[in-house]
Amino acid sequence: MGELRIQARLNGPLRVPGPLTVRDESGAERKIEQELVSLCRCGGSKDKPLCDSAHRSNGFTAPAVTLELERPAP
């Protein structure tokens, strides 16, 4: 069915392929049309779950990691 790659950037956000729809706990949806979406990993973004580069000024540190997920064929 395909591969999904999630990249955790060094001291930065999670990068995931888009476009995608983000749904919060109340069920409200937000459509993101970008081909590559940056998700906050530091907790400091004022536009959560999207990254607003707050990690650059709040001292966030974390390693870079790439996750490759394969979805089995039905």
Side-chain angles (χ1 to χ4, degrees), residues 9-70:
R9 306 276 304 211
L10 177 65
N11 304 327
L14 295 171
R15 305 287 305 266
V16 299
L20 54 82
T21 301
V22 176
R23 187 175 300 115
D24 70 18
E25 59 201 28
S26 71
E29 291 185 353
R30 181 175 176 184
K31 295 190 184 304
I32 311 297
E33 299 297 333
Q34 298 161 233
E35 285 189 36
L36 192 58
V37 179
S38 295
L39 300 174
C40 180
R41 183 162 73 133
C42 76
S45 176
K46 297 201 184 327
D47 191 24
K48 290 183 190 105
L50 302 180
C51 174
D52 69 359
S53 298
H55 59 274
R56 294 181 182 162
S57 60
N58 69 11
F60 178 73
T61 61
V65 177
T66 299
L67 303 171
E68 293 183 8
L69 308 171
E70 287 194 31

